[in-house]
Amino acid sequence: MNLSKIGYLLDVTAAVGCPLNCGCCPQELFVSAYSKTGGPRLMSFETFKACVDKVPKNVHVSFSGFCEPFVNPALADMIIYAHRSGFKLLMNTTAVGLTRGTLSRIEDIPFENIDVHMPDRENNTLVAAMPHHLETLEMLSHSRLHRRRFISLGEPHPAVVSLLGSGIETVAKGDLVSRAGALEHIRHPLLKYRKGAILCLRKYQRRNVLLPNGDLLLCCMDFGMKHVIGNLLRSPYREIVGGQPMRDILRRLKDEKYGHVICRRCELAGGLLSLLHLKISAAGRALRPWT
């Protein structure tokens, strides 16, 4: 599925404190920022229901966010509820925490897209050492889950190559992004501070991250929770995305004199010339977010 064709998206972080702590994900930054809110570390089904009930049905719901979604034991209930409510669904997962019982409940749900992140040689995705993980991946590979694809951030781990053969899509290490400068060990060639009028080349201001306490963040790069634009437990979705915090962010994108925005340190931001280059350049099409 071409994710660039998606308009608005609600990216659900179902838990806080991912057990994987992958090299492409600034977990410590997020956990530290979230702990200051005093919110629950697991999203309850009741919170999820209350939040998505405030969201228009033309908004896609993605189970991904800042933590492996299957860490939350209520995930299957959330998926089933969102599907029955009429939402189109996506997922990013390592499958860590997936059980046969959970899989049997969701494998016939028509996801728009499921990206399953595989163990790789350089531990960008730290799942190779998880007990019984190969058995989980084998179970998943034989399931009826719709539109799944297996992805490795770098060269796949030999164990999963033996299991899945050539059915793994490899993403070059150079395509990993620093999460708006949060990961110091990643130095993407497009990472720099941008002045003047900028815009998100992936329209991430339309793809907000829902946290277990109901907070809604600007996008999947905001691990430090710098831009909380509202709370879905307290306000309707339309009111939040059109509210003053979002208007302030859009104004800051036009001119840094109005205040800081993390987008100025993000590889996926640029000026109007960058947008034109993205549309005509094969190299631009290769730069993709992995969440």
Side-chain angles (χ1 to χ4, degrees), residues 119-133:
D120 61 87
R121 286 183 178 272
E122 298 185 37
N123 288 331
N124 294 309
T125 303
L126 284 171
V127 293
M130 291 287 177
H132 313 300
H133 190 62

Side-chain angles (χ1 to χ4, degrees), residues 108-176:
D108 290 319
I109 290 178
F111 282 85
E112 297 292 305
N113 190 77
I114 301 176
D115 284 349
V116 184
H117 294 263
M118 296 287 99
D120 61 87
R121 286 183 178 272
E122 298 185 37
N123 288 331
N124 294 309
T125 303
L126 284 171
V127 293
M130 291 287 177
H132 313 300
H133 190 62
L134 287 180
E135 290 91 337
T136 301
L137 292 178
E138 184 174 20
M139 174 183 69
L140 184 59
S141 70
H142 291 111
S143 74
R144 298 187 301 274
L145 274 175
H146 293 247
R147 295 179 181 175
R148 68 179 184 272
R149 61 175 181 170
F150 298 100
I151 296 175
S152 174
L153 305 183
E155 189 175 352
H157 193 279
V160 295
V161 173
S162 298
L163 177 66
L164 300 174
S166 59
I168 303 173
E169 180 179 338
T170 300
V171 179
K173 182 181 178 181
D175 284 340
L176 296 178

